[in-house]
Each structure stands twice: as C-alpha cells, then as structure tokens.
Amino acid sequence: MIKVHGLSLSNHSAMVKFALKEKKIDFEWIETLPYSMSKDETILEKSAIGALPIVEYEGEFISETLAIFAFLDQKFPDTKLFSTDPLENAKTVEIINICQFYIELQARNYYPFVFFGAEKKEASQEIKNKIHMGFKALERKASLSPFMMNKFSYADIYASLSIFTTIPVCKQVYDWDILEDFKKISESLNIINSREIAKSVYDDIAKAMEKM
Amino acid sequence: MIKVHGLSLSNHSAMVKFALKEKKIDFEWIETLPYSMSKDETILEKSAIGALPIVEYEGEFISETLAIFAFLDQKFPDTKLFSTDPLENAKTVEIINICQFYIELQARNYYPFVFFGAEKKEASQEIKNKIHMGFKALERKASLSPFMMNKFSYADIYASLSIFTTIPVCKQVYDWDILEDFKKISESLNIINSREIAKSVYDDIAKAMEKM
C-alpha cells in the first residue's frame, strides 16, 4: 500500500492527499515533520532535501509534489489527473509551473511571518508585482470554465492549495484581497473547493491548525 | 513543423534544442528576446510570463521548459526522454526539480552579475548553502552511472544546462569550484556533455556569447 509521510498542516502534503482521494487510491498517512524541524536524518535520505510529502511504495521513496503526481498517474491510471492529450497535458504542467514559481514561491517568502509567528519582514513591492504577474498569467492561460483545464486535473489541485496559502500572505503583508482582483480565478477555486474531497482535505488542514 | 521561439544564449532555450535534437524532431528556430528585454506584448500572450523558450505547434503555444518536455515526449514518443516506468519517471522529475529549485533557482540570483555585467551583489552564505544542499541531493538521488537515471533522459539535459550556468556563479561569487567537491556529478556531466548533440548545443551558446 502507498504510505504518505506528510505534515497535515502543509499545503503540499494536502495536495498529495487530495490527489490520492480523487484517484481513489488507498493510503496510509504517517504524520511526519520535515527535516528542517526534526533534524531526522532518515527523512533526508528519503527525500530530495528533507521536505514533505514523501510517498513510499514497495520500499521506494518519492519526494517533490510534481514527481509524486507523475508517479501516481502512471502507476494508477484508472482516474487520470494528467491528460493523455499532449497539448492538454502540457498546458496542465504550464499551469502548475505558474502556480509553483510565480505565485507560491513568491508568497513563501512570508510564510514564516504569516503561518509561524515570525517577525514581519518588509512588504516587498517586487514580490507583490510577481504575485500579480503570476495571477495574470493564470488568468490568461487557464480555461477557468470552470476548471483550470478542460477537465478536473492536477492543475486544479495545485492551484487550489498554492493559492490557499497565498491569500493570507497577500492580506496580511499587503492588505490586498487578491481574489477581488481576479474574479474568474476566484469562481473557479470556489467550484474546485466545493468538491467533497476538497472539503475533507481542507477540514484536515483546519484541524491541524487548531491543534497547533 | 515545430517552431521554437528561443534565445540562443539562454540555457533553457538550449534545453529544448537539446531535447528536439535527441528526439530527432525537425524544428524551426526563431531567435527571440524575452518580454523582459523586448517589451513585446505578443511574447507575453504566448507564454506564462514572457520568458523563453516557447514552442509553437499548429497555432498553439507552450511555455515553461517542463511543460515543453512533457509535450514533446507525448507528441513524439519514438525516442522517449521520460520513462514509461512509473518509478523511473517519477525519479526523473525529482532530479529535474532538484536542479530547478535547489540549484539553478539559487544560482539565478547572480545571473545579472555573472552574465550581464551588473554590479556584484553580496555573496550570500544562505544561497551558497542551498546550492551545496542541491548538489548533495543530486548526488544522493541520481544514479550517476553514468547518467542521472538508468538511461539518458530529460534529467540529463536539465542537469547539464542548469549546472552549466551554476558553475561560473559559484566560481565568480564564491571562488568555489563546485565540481571539485562533487566528482561523481562532474564525471556524469562529462559523459552527457560529450554527446555529439550536446557539443552542438554548447557550440551554439558559445557563438551567441561571442556575438554578445
């Protein structure tokens, strides 16, 4: 059986949980701290740089969200979340890259402040511009009718959970309700997040936050 | 026919050229400046954020290197550079992610200084540590016997050209011969880069640099 070494709080761990449930794959969840918090060397051995989630399957370990997505879709192809159409699939990867690099990676600069009680860093206009550019790119490239691509896909999972953490960053650092500026993206996210599986995934995050 | 809107100088444009040649796909190269340099709005329309390369195929445009890799492998499957084995493929994506996030994205902080004559920024110990961590991850996760994975793959193309730009960053910013510290990676790169196609790709970069 698939084992997921994940942190319930983490949006990337939640992405993999979301995908597994959409694909109806049974899994065992092993609540785990990243190497940066636990200094547990065995986590470092199993992953690229000690980050979570890590998927374990028949003694092999896979880390990095996109690598896990690829593995799950090839190994368990009954419900595909990458398309078999080359163009549709390429655009799915493009959307994920936009969310990853131009949105979440930028917002990540403020995670210590927004999520972990660190001191507030200066609100960088450069980072704000990049996040805005990322959302513009998403608006231009995603279908948003209603999903990111023509069908529900990994792009929806990635967009949902990367924007989930970006919203409070924009609010708390820039006093910026970013989804007010991107209504079509907001509507798409509402539809993605109203799926029963999405609700259960977000419930788990909320519970983990309460515990913390 | 495939058209590549690319910048001969750029390592990411070179990655796509490398892939197309390995896959024996005919293509037309259209030398192009990124939006950041040309302010040409049509480039912005065709790509995620105006960066290169962009692949054009039957009136559709695909940007972001990994999305282009995915497209080429699905559309032209005769020579596969992603594996059809789920685990091998996942590990290929994992290696690419390591090169992308933990190596090249870090080195990129110093591209303006190293490649474009900008003033030298302070040598950040944090960035140096991250690059070191990225190489450690690569050493741990890649097969290196001799390729990154069991067979020549996109991981080799990505590693070769992302490390190509990281080497002068480490040298000029930190006076650090990084490949001296990672001999097995160095040996693997020597084998990748001795391929006839690799040589022609690097020749093109050298010519473009001379012109500049």
Side-chain angles (χ1 to χ4, degrees), chain A:
Chain A
M1 203 213 288
I2 289 266
K3 291 181 187 172
V4 182
H5 304 261
L7 181 66
S8 291
L9 263 180
S10 137
N11 64 334
H12 278 266
S13 293
M15 286 180 197
V16 167
K17 189 190 283 178
F18 199 156
L20 285 162
K21 288 185 169 190
E22 287 285 348
K23 290 172 76 63
K24 300 179 187 64
I25 302 168
D26 283 337
F27 63 95
E28 180 189 345
W29 184 270
I30 301 165
E31 190 69 15
T32 308
L33 290 173
Y35 173 73
S36 60
M37 292 168 78
S38 69
K39 302 295 169 197
D40 174 356
E41 295 281 339
T42 65
I43 297 298
L44 204 55
E45 285 307 310
K46 290 168 186 163
S47 66
I49 57 144
L52 301 170
I54 301 161
V55 155
E56 180 178 349
Y57 185 74
E58 294 182 351
E60 297 276 355
F61 297 91
I62 306 152
S63 69
E64 300 296 312
T65 306
L66 204 56
I68 294 170
F69 280 1
F71 176 74
L72 296 178
D73 234 39
Q74 255 184 330
K75 189 77 193 176
F76 305 97
D78 285 353
T79 304
K80 296 279 285 179
L81 296 175
F82 277 134
S83 178
T84 51
D85 175 75
L87 190 66
E88 179 90 355
N89 184 48
K91 287 177 180 284
T92 308
V93 177
E94 199 177 17
I95 295 291
I96 290 173
N97 252 34
I98 290 170
C99 294
Q100 187 175 27
F101 272 95
Y102 309 124
I103 296 176
E104 199 202 359
L105 192 67
Q106 306 307 321
R108 196 167 276 276
N109 286 291
Y110 294 104
Y111 282 12
F113 162 59
V114 172
F115 300 113
F116 302 107
E119 212 175 312
K120 189 170 179 173
K121 282 203 291 185
E122 194 192 351
S124 153
Q125 187 61 40
E126 189 188 344
I127 290 175
K128 187 180 180 188
N129 291 348
K130 282 190 184 165
I131 294 173
H132 191 266
M133 186 185 70
F135 272 78
K136 290 288 279 185
L138 194 58
E139 193 176 55
R140 202 167 52 238
K141 286 288 180 175
S143 117
L144 305 177
S145 55
F147 297 121
M148 295 290 146
M149 299 304 306
N150 293 327
K151 280 188 195 169
F152 181 83
S153 73
Y154 280 134
D156 297 293
I157 294 175
Y158 210 106
S160 170
L161 281 150
S162 56
I163 293 175
F164 168 69
T165 47
T166 302
I167 293 167
V169 166
C170 291
K171 184 67 195 158
Q172 291 183 43
V173 177
Y174 302 106
D175 193 22
W176 177 26
D177 287 318
I178 188 164
L179 290 181
E180 285 293 309
D181 293 351
F182 293 95
K183 296 279 192 201
K184 278 199 73 180
I185 294 174
S186 178
E187 284 162 22
S188 172
L189 292 174
N190 283 343
I191 289 169
I192 297 164
N193 295 346
S194 67
R195 296 168 84 82
E196 286 309 314
I197 288 169
K199 286 188 211 167
S200 80
V201 168
Y202 279 104
D203 274 355
D204 285 357
I205 295 176
K207 278 180 204 150
M209 279 186 163
E210 266 174 42
K211 265 196 190 170
M212 194 180 70

Side-chain angles (χ1 to χ4, degrees), chain A residues 74, chain B residues 80 82-89:
Chain A
Q74 255 184 330
Chain B
K80 297 278 286 177
F82 278 133
S83 178
T84 51
D85 175 74
L87 189 66
E88 179 90 355
N89 183 48

